[in-house]
Amino acid sequence: MSGGPAQRLDRRTVLRATVTPLASILGSGLLIIVPVLEGVLGRWSVLGALGVVAVAWLVGIAVRHGVRAIEPRAADGSLDQTTLRLEKLADAVIVVAYVISVALYLRIMAQYVVQLTAGGSDGLVERIIACGAIVLIVTIGVTRGFSGLDVLDRISLGVVLALTVVLGATLAARGGVDLAGGDLRLPPVPEEGLWHTLLVLGGIVITVQGFETVRYLADDYDGPTRIRASQVAQVLAAVIYVGFVVVATPFMGLGSGDGADATLIDITQRAAPLLVLPLVVSAVLSQFSAATADTASADGNLRGLASWMKGPRPFLVSGAAALALAATVPTFTIVAVASRAFALYYALICVTALRTCEGWWRKAGFGLLALLMLAIAALAEPAG
């Protein structure tokens, strides 16, 4: 009986640690994965979703290997210099990727806000909203630290999960009625070609980004907690992604008079018009939550990269860079660079895992994953 409270405390700690990676993963791709898969796979979109989350899980194994095996060796000085340099290079690459992703998430958030309030797009207003959100996140980070950002994440993620369940359940119910009445239809498979489809699937690696954020929360959670949090976040995100693609597929506009969908709003408008406003609210909060999660991770990473990164400096440095991107660079360009930056980071993580693991089959697996991520960084067509 004496172990009960400790076990409950451990579970609560794991759940708290899960907030950052889960918020980052859902914010990365829940809004775009359905229309992107629709454009290349049509009725077989669920296969694309399963493939993407499966590859993400394999890369997650490499990330968790880093927490379990590489971190202790780096701390006690037993890690070889080449691997240590690769780890530092990976840390530098992921800081750049996080800064880019923060700018991307908040630009997407701003687009949804403008679309809801103005019924169209306004580049200047979108940039102003995105920059204002960055200033807010950085201000909270500077004044409240990780605990302040974590509160924001928990609130936003809770609302996003609730709204996602409502929308998913509504689509499932509507699909069930259509199936029972013999009216359920599935979209055709686009004639895109296998090579193009694989390039696009590689390009949406950014839609599952986020599980690696646990590597940079060492000041707040121990290794076993972060490993479990990463696993929980990936499983929950996989269930949500795959399930959402399944229930949304019958309502894709591809092959109908509406044509291929550009955003999730198109599908929602067709299937459940009353949920368009909740969807936009969910979109805004998911992007804000993901930006908050990646800001916190960039802060933790920068503190480990340089000794002078203390106090508010990491937040100010990453915030200034994100502001510059959000104010000047087109959204599609940000997407392209972010996808490649994350793929390159994952390749480096797989190489360090290869160098520090035991067993030829594990080394072969991490080596193949590293090659796959390098190929994605070089060849993939980013999800636009």
Side-chain angles (χ1 to χ4, degrees):
M1 294 297 291
S2 60
Q7 292 175 352
R8 287 196 295 272
L9 177 61
D10 288 342
R11 286 195 292 269
R12 288 196 295 269
T13 303
V14 168
L15 289 177
R16 284 201 304 272
T18 301
V19 168
T20 295
L22 184 59
S24 186
I25 297 172
L26 295 183
S28 299
L30 193 57
L31 296 178
I32 67 173
I33 195 168
V34 172
V36 170
L37 291 176
E38 174 185 350
V40 293
L41 289 172
R43 68 178 61 194
W44 301 117
S45 292
V46 65
L47 297 181
L50 287 169
V52 169
V53 298
V55 171
W57 180 263
L58 294 176
V59 178
I61 293 174
V63 169
R64 291 184 283 275
H65 172 82
V67 176
R68 181 183 299 108
I70 298 179
E71 281 186 11
R73 293 170 62 178
D76 65 20
S78 62
L79 192 65
D80 68 274
Q81 288 301 307
T82 299
T83 303
L84 188 59
R85 291 191 187 98
L86 288 172
E87 281 280 293
K88 290 294 184 182
L89 177 58
D91 289 345
V93 169
I94 198 63
V95 166
V96 175
Y98 281 146
V99 169
I100 297 170
S101 65
V102 169
L104 171 63
Y105 299 151
L106 295 178
R107 281 287 290 272
I108 294 175
M109 181 198 76
Q111 288 175 354
Y112 272 84
V113 172
V114 171
Q115 185 173 354
L116 176 65
T117 57
S121 62
D122 188 321
L124 177 60
V125 175
E126 291 169 5
R127 284 174 165 82
I128 292 173
I129 293 173
C131 290
I134 292 172
V135 171
L136 174 61
I137 291 173
V138 170
T139 300
I140 294 174
V142 169
T143 57
R144 300 290 302 277
F146 175 78
S147 61
L149 294 179
D150 191 46
V151 170
L152 278 182
D153 251 352
R154 277 185 279 168
I155 295 173
S156 300
L157 181 61
V159 176
V160 168
L161 288 175
L163 293 175
T164 300
V165 169
V166 170
L167 178 57
T170 301
L171 293 176
R174 173 74 184 276
V177 171
D178 290 345
L179 179 62
D183 298 323
L184 187 72
R185 64 169 183 80
L186 297 175
V189 179
E191 297 180 0
E192 295 290 349
L194 178 61
W195 182 244
H196 172 72
T197 299
L198 291 175
L199 291 179
V200 172
L201 290 178
I204 59 176
V205 64
I206 194 176
T207 64
V208 291
Q209 170 272 322
F211 52 88
E212 78 292 329
T213 54
V214 296
R215 291 203 68 187
Y216 308 106
L217 303 178
D219 290 342
D220 302 281
Y221 304 104
D222 61 26
T225 297
R226 287 181 287 131
I227 289 171
R228 178 61 67 184
S230 175
Q231 292 170 330
V232 172
Q234 282 201 283
V235 170
L236 289 176
V239 171
I240 292 170
Y241 273 40
V242 174
F244 205 76
V245 170
V246 168
V247 299
T249 297
F251 303 99
M252 292 175 175
L254 190 67
S256 71
D258 295 323
D261 297 298
T263 70
L264 197 54
I265 288 181
D266 298 332
I267 293 175
T268 306
Q269 183 70 54
R270 187 180 305 114
L274 292 178
L275 292 181
V276 169
L277 178 58
L279 171 65
V280 173
V281 173
S282 177
V284 169
L285 289 175
S286 69
Q287 299 308 107
F288 187 81
S289 180
T292 301
D294 283 6
T295 299
S297 298
D299 168 72
N301 196 326
L302 283 170
R303 293 181 189 279
L305 276 177
S307 59
W308 63 273
M309 283 289 182
K310 299 177 180 178
R313 289 176 184 169
F315 288 113
L316 296 175
V317 170
S318 60
L323 274 174
L325 286 172
T328 60
V329 180
T331 302
F332 287 165
T333 302
I334 301 176
V335 171
V337 178
S339 295
R340 283 166 169 76
F342 278 109
L344 178 58
Y345 168 77
Y346 292 143
L348 290 169
I349 289 299
C350 290
V351 171
T352 60
L354 182 157
R355 293 180 59 86
T356 54
C357 71
E358 297 181 357
W360 68 266
W361 60 276
R362 290 178 64 85
K363 290 183 180 294
F366 287 136
L368 290 174
L369 272 177
L371 291 175
L372 176 61
M373 292 300 110
L374 285 174
I376 288 174
L379 302 174
E381 296 184 9

